[in-house]
Amino acid sequence: MKYISTRGQAPALGFEDVLLTGLAADGGLYVPELLPRFTLEEIRSWRGLPYSELAFNVMFPFVEGAIPADDFRAMLKETYADFAHPAVAPLIQIGSNEWVMELFRGPTLAFKDFALQLLGRLLDYVLEKRQQHVVILGATSGDTGSAAIEGCRRCKHVDIFILHPHQRVSEVQRRQMTTVPGDNIHNLAVRGNFDDCQQMVKASFGDQSFLDGKAQLVAVNSINWARIMAQIVYYFHAALSLGGPDRSLAFSVPTGNFGDIFAGYLAREMGLPIEQLVIATNRNDILHRFMSGNRYEKHQLEHTLSPSMDIMISSNFERLLFDLYGRNGAAVADLFARFQQGPVSIDDYRWAQARKLFDSYAVDDEATCATIAEVFSEAEYLLDPHTAIGVKAAQACRRDASIPMVTLATAHPAKFPDAVEKAGVEARPALPLHLADLFEREERYQVLDNDITAVQQFIAKHWKFA
């Protein structure tokens, strides 16, 4: 399997190099040169498989030639054995043909565990083979940071630096990052927003000279292909649990960076019958404004009750645009060059093509709280604010009530107790036992100005071989 850049000017790479590279040299994102495609008969044969075996069937084509089948199968079995439910991603019915898929049963209570617990093991495997030390650099709007730290903290060949926007993540999210001990773990609270953090990460990958050639940066954000690859699996899992592939499904996905819903698009391209994908956003609604009006335009970022989606520039959207432009990297590069200067639109026929599959809906804080209260009242099921946005968007955009609608439950409600309290729900969510003492643990993090030089100097000074 070879991987190519969405901007067409970087060399094609194998899986190992893509895992360690992050952004392509031309500023693009890596995608498979050719997607594997499964027949309905193949997909049907996977019914009843344990989650790790389903994951092997879906993902092995992406790593074949880089990781032997037995090693990859063992890695997956170990990854998903750590999840707190035997189904790994259980489905809960909350209404008529309306479901949520709980993606928060991993160690850090968020969907990012599905990819990042695997990513740590992939890195360990590749870096041990190469006897190479790397610096992980990532930005988080809340959940990626803790999942990356948990997934990679035992890797002996990495130092981890995670940027988060200072005072713009929930307290539980912050403490999940900052209370993990380890000399190779560094949490940086940046006086800015998530997009500021993300931009610093992208710029640092583009020019790594601040490390003096002594180390390589590795991405844990969803620009890393391994993140997307692992998220494809649970779309197959949901379909097989609800009658697929002999019936189509619809999915509503709370998303800010477009990675999680792009994985659903890829599942469909790989042969899974998916009728509809709903992009669920909060007030930071750049994706909704594009899908509803063909206008991709930056607005001022707003702080909301769903902070993991407080993102204005959706990095993975470029991967979809690459397909909409017939995989023409030069056209994508030109589009994003124009986007730096102001709003952009795409050709009407390309936009219409996207609208055949995608719908979108933006939900404000008031409607988020109302949805949490309504679902708890009707189904005695407690949603976190991000999942509530997904449920509300699913209800607003549903095309066919006969098709199962699955909302991806992206986080445990205990991560956002203030939002649950604001919704007027009396059942304040408790943290699971393994995190019961979270508020008693010592925190370690550094507050830095919104200045890339200060961030890069900190990294250069504190990584293992500095």
Side-chain angles (χ1 to χ4, degrees):
M1 173 75 74
K2 286 291 186 182
Y3 294 83
I4 58 175
S5 169
T6 53
R7 301 197 185 181
Q9 298 300 310
L13 299 178
F15 177 77
E16 280 191 19
D17 290 320
V18 164
L19 178 72
L20 299 177
T21 298
L23 277 177
D26 58 3
L29 281 70
Y30 278 106
V31 293
E33 191 170 36
L34 291 171
L35 274 179
R37 187 166 179 89
F38 306 116
T39 65
L40 295 182
E41 184 178 2
E42 283 179 287
I43 299 170
R44 197 178 294 118
S45 74
W46 299 342
R47 286 177 179 162
L49 287 180
Y51 191 92
S52 63
E53 277 298 308
L54 174 63
F56 176 83
N57 288 337
V58 173
M59 283 193 280
F60 186 64
F62 296 116
V63 305
E64 192 169 7
I67 302 176
D70 288 347
D71 291 346
F72 190 54
R73 182 177 273 113
M75 204 181 296
L76 291 166
K77 188 172 182 180
E78 185 181 89
T79 295
Y80 297 113
D82 286 344
F83 282 59
H85 194 288
V88 180
L91 286 137
I92 310 295
Q93 189 166 12
I94 61 168
S96 177
N97 221 7
E98 188 178 359
W99 308 77
V100 295
M101 179 165 54
E102 293 185 341
L103 301 180
F104 52 73
R105 297 300 189 122
T108 71
L109 314 183
F111 79 98
K112 314 235 170 137
D113 285 324
F114 279 83
L116 287 165
Q117 302 309 306
L118 175 60
L119 179 63
R121 290 169 170 86
L122 289 167
L123 287 173
D124 238 5
Y125 184 93
V126 170
L127 294 173
E128 180 67 26
K129 184 167 74 173
R130 294 186 173 199
Q131 285 298 295
Q132 181 181 351
H133 193 92
V134 300
V135 173
I136 289 176
L137 177 60
T140 183
S141 55
D143 291 328
T144 291
S146 57
I149 289 169
E150 181 63 32
C152 302
R153 65 189 176 96
R154 298 180 188 87
C155 300
K156 62 182 180 180
H157 296 291
V158 307
D159 281 277
I160 308 169
F161 294 83
I162 299 294
L163 281 58
H164 73 267
H166 186 42
Q167 297 179 337
R168 292 196 175 195
V169 300
S170 79
E171 187 175 6
V172 171
Q173 287 177 310
R174 189 192 73 240
R175 286 179 174 273
Q176 281 187 287
M177 294 185 283
T178 61
T179 59
V180 179
D183 292 339
N184 66 332
I185 299 168
H186 306 276
N187 285 285
L188 305 181
V190 175
R191 295 186 180 98
N193 59 42
F194 170 77
D195 284 340
D196 296 324
C197 298
Q198 179 93 307
Q199 185 55 44
M200 287 185 198
V201 169
K202 287 185 175 181
S204 297
F205 272 89
D207 180 2
Q208 302 185 26
S209 59
F210 65 98
L211 293 172
D212 294 328
K214 297 175 183 176
Q216 175 184 338
L217 292 181
V218 169
V220 292
N221 285 60
S222 54
I223 59 173
N224 190 311
W225 167 254
R227 285 276 306 272
I228 304 295
M229 173 182 82
Q231 292 168 332
I232 296 169
V233 178
Y234 43 69
Y235 288 90
F236 282 87
H237 166 75
L240 289 165
S241 299
L242 296 174
D246 299 313
R247 68 191 304 195
S248 292
L249 265 70
F251 292 89
S252 178
V253 186
T255 188
N257 226 358
F258 202 75
D260 209 13
I261 197 164
F262 183 70
Y265 163 80
L266 291 176
R268 185 175 184 267
E269 293 295 296
M270 292 164 66
L272 187 68
I274 295 177
E275 183 73 20
Q276 180 187 20
L277 290 171
V278 179
I279 299 167
T281 74
N282 60 21
R283 293 200 309 273
N284 299 298
D285 60 349
I286 186 171
L287 292 170
H288 171 58
R289 284 183 280 113
F290 173 83
M291 281 298 170
S292 60
N294 192 11
R295 186 175 175 86
Y296 198 59
E297 178 184 18
K298 288 180 271 190
H299 283 183
Q300 184 70 33
L301 194 73
E302 296 189 48
H303 185 46
T304 73
L305 291 174
S306 45
S308 297
M309 302 194 316
D310 288 348
I311 297 169
M312 185 46 64
I313 301 173
S314 302
S315 297
N316 285 289
F317 190 51
E318 180 168 338
R319 286 178 158 128
L320 177 66
L321 289 169
F322 184 58
D323 278 6
L324 291 176
Y325 273 88
R327 312 206 110 195
N328 183 335
V332 172
D334 174 69
L335 182 73
F336 277 93
R338 289 187 283 115
F339 178 60
Q340 296 305 314
Q341 308 304 316
V344 294
S345 298
I346 66 174
D347 303 303
D348 283 345
Y349 75 93
R350 301 185 198 277
W351 179 70
Q353 180 183 343
R355 292 282 291 133
K356 290 178 182 178
L357 175 63
F358 290 97
D359 285 293
S360 64
Y361 197 74
V363 183
D364 62 19
D365 283 350
E366 184 179 357
T368 299
C369 290
T371 304
I372 293 172
E374 178 184 324
V375 171
F376 188 77
S377 172
E378 294 181 355
E380 291 190 6
Y381 187 81
L382 191 56
L383 303 172
D384 93 288
H386 306 79
T387 309
I389 286 172
V391 169
K392 180 65 176 177
Q395 294 168 347
C397 296
R398 193 170 190 177
R399 298 177 184 176
D400 187 342
S402 70
I403 293 174
M405 171 62 81
V406 179
T407 295
L408 273 53
T410 53
H412 194 292
K415 299 189 81 163
F416 306 96
D418 292 343
V420 173
E421 186 175 340
K422 187 166 279 193
V425 176
E426 293 182 7
R428 190 172 177 86
L431 287 166
L433 286 176
H434 74 281
L435 289 172
D437 65 343
L438 182 65
F439 289 87
E440 300 165 19
R441 301 177 190 175
E442 180 184 357
E443 288 193 87
R444 296 184 307 123
Y445 65 100
Q446 184 76 31
V447 180
L448 296 179
D449 286 335
N450 185 8
D451 174 32
I452 191 171
T453 301
V455 169
Q456 290 180 343
Q457 286 177 346
F458 184 94
I459 296 169
K461 182 178 178 180
H462 290 89
W463 77 282
K464 184 176 180 180
F465 298 116

